Amino acid sequence: LIATILKHVVGGDPEAYQLFLNWLACVVQYRRSIGTAWLLSGTQGTGKGLFFTHIMMPLLGRDYVSRATLPMFEKEFNSFIEHSLLIFVDEIRLKELKQASVALSNLKQYITEDVLPVRKMRTDPFLVDNHANFVFASNHYDSMEIDPSDRRFLVAPRQEEPLSSVVELEEIDTRISEELEGFAQYLCGRDADLQLARSMYHSSERQRLKHLTRNASDEVADRKSTRLN
């Protein structure tokens, strides 16, 4: 069942599924910031939240996971990142933020930096080793701005079918609980290729987002460059 859920949230794509498993194994085995983050998108009910609350939260432990919203990355306070191994950011849509550029800049820092400044209310900032890894989820078609050269975001193919089309939802709680120990052993024993987890994944959804977030002048420059080459 866990395999079915993970395959579903990455759009049913075999390559994305294997890359996602490798990335999760790196998170579990290395317990550090990998340097890349996954973006899962699709219609409502595809299992994106279920993946976090029913699988990764009990697997890693509540003290080492966080759930965040995108507006939190516009703010200076970021104590949620101090002890987190995995941070799930749901319902993202960058264009809705008042300070989108600030949020995106902070996100890029959180994804890649080895050491981060942590700021809590009524305290001075202090530095911590960065162990945080991010999974972003969205139902929107224009969730994120993806620069063509940005290697941080691994974008899974979009899933348009609800999870209920492939599994019986009534059995999920019991069956996942029965499989969690085996899945944890699998992630701990699987080859965890850190270089692969940091490599760019050229999915069709990444290409679509890249073109969606480029303006007209960018497209004109691309065409001129193509003609010159």
Side-chain angles (χ1 to χ4, degrees):
L1 177 61
I2 290 177
T4 300
I5 293 170
L6 295 184
K7 289 176 185 176
H8 198 74
V9 299
V10 297
D13 182 81
E15 181 183 6
Y17 173 61
Q18 291 299 325
L19 291 173
F20 194 42
L21 283 177
N22 177 70
W23 188 86
L24 292 174
C26 287
V27 171
V28 170
Q29 294 183 35
Y30 289 100
R31 305 182 75 82
R32 56 181 286 192
S33 175
I34 303 303
T36 52
W38 276 86
L39 171 59
L40 311 176
S41 65
T43 189
Q44 292 186 0
T46 58
K48 300 182 293 292
L50 183 74
F51 151 77
F52 177 73
T53 58
H54 286 61
I55 299 174
M56 299 311 298
M57 184 180 289
L59 192 151
L60 295 175
R62 290 179 179 269
D63 292 338
Y64 303 103
V65 297
S66 297
R67 192 162 192 157
T69 59
L70 207 54
M72 294 170 65
F73 298 95
E74 294 178 292
K75 307 181 187 304
E76 60 179 320
F77 302 113
N78 60 351
S79 59
F80 63 90
I81 206 168
E82 183 179 0
H83 300 293
S84 295
L85 284 174
L86 184 68
I87 299 174
F88 184 75
V89 190
D90 202 4
E91 296 302 330
I92 69 163
R93 198 182 193 192
L94 195 66
K95 65 187 296 183
E96 293 181 349
L97 299 182
K98 294 180 179 179
Q99 301 182 75
S101 61
V102 172
L104 187 57
S105 177
N106 286 335
L107 279 173
K108 289 178 179 179
Q109 180 185 20
Y110 295 162
I111 292 170
T112 58
E113 295 297 323
D114 292 329
V115 177
L116 292 174
V118 170
R119 179 72 184 270
K120 300 180 181 181
M121 295 185 67
R122 296 184 292 276
T123 65
D124 293 329
F126 56 94
L127 296 176
V128 299
D129 291 333
N130 183 15
H131 302 280
N133 295 280
F134 291 84
V135 172
F136 301 96
S138 181
N139 298 331
H140 301 289
Y141 285 92
D142 54 350
S143 57
M144 181 66 72
E145 295 181 6
I146 304 291
D147 186 272
S149 62
D150 196 318
R151 307 178 68 88
R152 299 175 184 88
F153 295 99
L154 308 176
V155 186
R158 185 176 173 85
Q159 177 58 263
E160 297 294 356
E161 296 294 328
L163 184 62
S164 58
S165 66
V166 294
V167 300
E168 294 290 337
L169 299 184
E170 294 78 7
E171 303 177 6
I172 279 181
D173 287 348
T174 301
R175 289 184 58 193
I176 288 181
S177 298
E178 293 172 349
E179 293 183 5
L180 268 177
E181 183 177 352
F183 183 56
Q185 292 175 353
Y186 170 77
L187 290 181
C188 289
R190 176 192 167 103
D191 288 339
D193 188 335
L194 197 57
Q195 182 175 352
L196 180 62
R198 292 171 170 168
S199 300
M200 188 182 293
Y201 168 46
H202 296 281
S203 68
S204 58
E205 183 65 11
R206 177 189 171 88
Q207 292 296 109
R208 191 190 66 79
L209 279 178
K210 182 183 72 173
H211 290 297
L212 188 67
T213 54
R214 289 171 69 78
N215 58 37
S217 61
D218 292 329
E219 299 294 344
V220 170
D222 286 346
R223 287 196 291 270
K224 286 183 178 179
S225 176
T226 300
R227 287 198 298 269
L228 290 173
N229 292 333

